[in-house]
Amino acid sequence: MAVSKGRVLNQIRQLRTQAGLTQQDFANLVGATRQTILAIEAEKYAPSLELAFRMARALSVPFETLFQFEEEVAGPRN
Amino acid sequence: MAVSKGRVLNQIRQLRTQAGLTQQDFANLVGATRQTILAIEAEKYAPSLELAFRMARALSVPFETLFQFEEEVAGPRN
DNA sequence: TCGAAATGACAAATATGTTTTACATACCCC
DNA sequence: GGGGTATGTAAAACATATTTGTCATTTCGA
């Protein structure tokens, strides 16, 4: 890999708070820790595919509602 | 985490071959190596979320057509 | 204003995903 | 049979995700 080819955005915080869940609540629901939720909401890194699926299911939203892929804006400015 | 809570299935091989792509072709398209494609097709592990998105895009199929989450079959036999 | 609950940061350790290199097998087709 | 292409295996090194533990800051209700 090496060159970043895009990034994954998520609406976790918005949908989690709408559902009235704390980070800890949500972490328990999806079987992860609070720090993991925090890091992912802050987009420090993207969740694993499995965790992503559990998150969408826990919030009862379609996968693509929760996660979007944003292509690199092009710029061959490397 | 620790306890496995389900697994991610994929239809990569089927859709890749339908598209007339070799593992190497596909790897190039998504910016990964042939071994990565091989391992993921064999479900040795699941792709990262970003790679998963690139795969779906490369094959021009909806995300959920390519990947499905299968819940653990229950068994509170822990 | 006190205290508890929720959130944010950060580092070390572990787990999982990805690359690189190398070799083996199978299939064609010439 | 020999050469090329596609696929499978495997190990080491590296990158990223996740946990565990700990502390700081914010928020909010009693």
Side-chain angles (χ1 to χ4, degrees):
Chain A
M1 280 275 25
V3 279
S4 106
K5 301 216 170 79
R7 64 196 192 108
V8 177
L9 309 181
N10 73 71
Q11 312 314 127
I12 298 174
R13 175 154 320 191
Q14 179 189 342
L15 293 166
R16 170 180 63 79
T17 55
Q18 273 179 27
L21 297 170
T22 68
Q23 292 177 341
Q24 185 65 67
D25 290 339
F26 189 52
N28 294 148
L29 270 179
V30 302
T33 64
R34 188 177 69 80
Q35 342 297 98
T36 296
I37 305 303
L38 178 54
I40 293 169
E41 285 189 352
E43 282 168 3
K44 289 188 181 244
Y45 50 74
S48 66
L49 188 46
E50 183 178 336
L51 181 52
F53 270 114
R54 289 203 300 259
M55 286 174 155
R57 182 158 308 189
L59 293 172
S60 308
V61 296
F63 194 92
E64 286 107 333
T65 297
L66 200 46
F67 301 99
Q68 301 86 34
F69 182 56
E70 179 171 276
E71 288 278 14
E72 202 65 349
V73 199
R77 194 163 291 86
N78 289 323
Chain B
M1 282 271 23
V3 279
S4 107
K5 299 213 170 81
R7 63 195 192 110
V8 177
L9 309 181
N10 73 70
Q11 312 314 128
I12 298 174
R13 176 155 318 191
Q14 178 188 341
L15 292 166
R16 170 180 64 79
T17 56
Q18 273 180 26
L21 297 169
T22 67
Q23 291 178 341
Q24 184 65 66
D25 290 339
F26 189 52
N28 294 146
L29 271 178
V30 301
T33 63
R34 187 176 69 82
Q35 338 301 95
T36 296
I37 305 303
L38 178 54
I40 294 170
E41 286 189 351
E43 282 167 4
K44 288 187 181 241
Y45 48 75
S48 66
L49 188 47
E50 183 179 336
L51 181 52
F53 269 116
R54 289 204 300 259
M55 286 174 157
R57 183 157 310 188
L59 293 173
S60 307
V61 296
F63 194 91
E64 286 107 334
T65 297
L66 201 46
F67 301 99
Q68 301 88 34
F69 183 57
E70 179 170 276
E71 289 278 15
E72 202 65 347
V73 200
R77 195 163 289 87
N78 289 322

